[in-house]
Amino acid sequence: MKQISKPHHGGVLGLKNIEIAWIFGEIADLLELKGENAFKARAYRKGARALELLSEPVTSLAARGGLQSVDGIGEALAKKIAEYLETGKIQYHQRLLVEIPPGMLEISRVPGIGPKLAYRFLNELGVSSLDELEAACQGRRIRELSGLGPRTEWNILRGINTLRSQGGRVLLGVALPLAQDLVKQISKFPGVSEVSVAGSVRRGKETVKDIDIVAASSEPAQTTRLFCQMPSVGAVLATGETKATVKLRAGVQVDLRTVLPEQFASALQHMTGSKEHNVRLRGIAKQQGLKVNEHGVFARGSQCALTFTGEQALYGHLGLQYIPPQMREDRGEV
């Protein structure tokens, strides 16, 4: 599962690059939902990729007028980059967010429905929410569209039921790419030395309730603040100096835990879970006169946590072989 370590460079190299790249990627998604020319969406995706690969801050490149020297950045995208650097937003992106009903993202997550089909439902039937899509299927309106039929309606209803039966849960195939993107962006923050996906995503569960991420930072409060300001964040649900819970624009909840570098291994193990696996570990530690929690391993009566270079060392200290995240369910793996 995704984990990134990097040396501390002491600057904000690439932070604006990643912010603008994310916006360009979301513009591409919105254009596809809107049914725009596929070439236009591909141009924004290419621009996003170019920004991610830049070896210098986009601010420096813009300052010397070199944006259009980058393959994938033409005049139109260069103007939008300049607009973001000056104002902190791109009006074209803001207009698309208003034009595309929020429910369209939910519709596009129904198995078998992509952006093009979701747009057809909006454009030809006025369907812009999951409830409206369900009613259209039950009213036999979907089969009226060219190329679709009763089987399509049945498959969509089955997909809606699957989506709802998950109780708001998200398929791993949806959550994992989002989590990996977030990890890559957070790794660029100043002070961050390591960052990893945790929780049920790291354990590879088929569906997940949310995304958990653990970051090691010499400046936890700043890392948490920067995370809440990321363009992909639609709403901040809760925040403190070392914790934050947000809802992405894509509709998925993300919990970030920021710790000091020496606490990373313990925090990652604890946040990965499962709850049952961690209870088992605490029992083993107690038998050895130790206490285990997200802050580290403590000897009985001590307030000073033992620190580890990685999870392997933590499990080894408890007399256990390393247990891969996918096995941590308290089903005989200990």
Side-chain angles (χ1 to χ4, degrees), residues 236-297:
V236 177
L237 306 181
T239 184
E241 288 196 355
T242 61
K243 300 178 184 179
T245 299
V246 304
K247 178 70 71 74
L248 299 181
R249 293 189 187 279
V252 182
Q253 182 172 306
V254 182
D255 293 323
L256 173 70
R257 178 70 58 87
T258 309
V259 298
L260 295 173
E262 61 268 23
Q263 299 173 320
F264 182 74
S266 295
L268 178 59
Q269 189 286 316
H270 179 84
M271 292 290 290
T272 296
S274 67
K275 178 181 178 181
E276 294 77 10
H277 177 81
N278 286 348
V279 168
R280 177 74 62 172
L281 284 194
R282 287 199 293 271
I284 292 173
K286 187 175 181 180
Q287 292 173 4
Q288 301 174 23
L290 302 171
K291 180 176 73 173
V292 177
N293 59 33
E294 61 191 285
H295 302 295
V297 177

Side-chain angles (χ1 to χ4, degrees), residues 155-177:
N155 285 335
I156 291 174
L157 286 171
R158 186 173 63 172
I160 292 173
N161 288 334
T162 299
L163 202 62
R164 287 176 172 163
S165 68
Q166 293 168 356
R169 298 179 71 84
V170 180
L171 291 171
L172 182 64
V174 173
L176 181 57

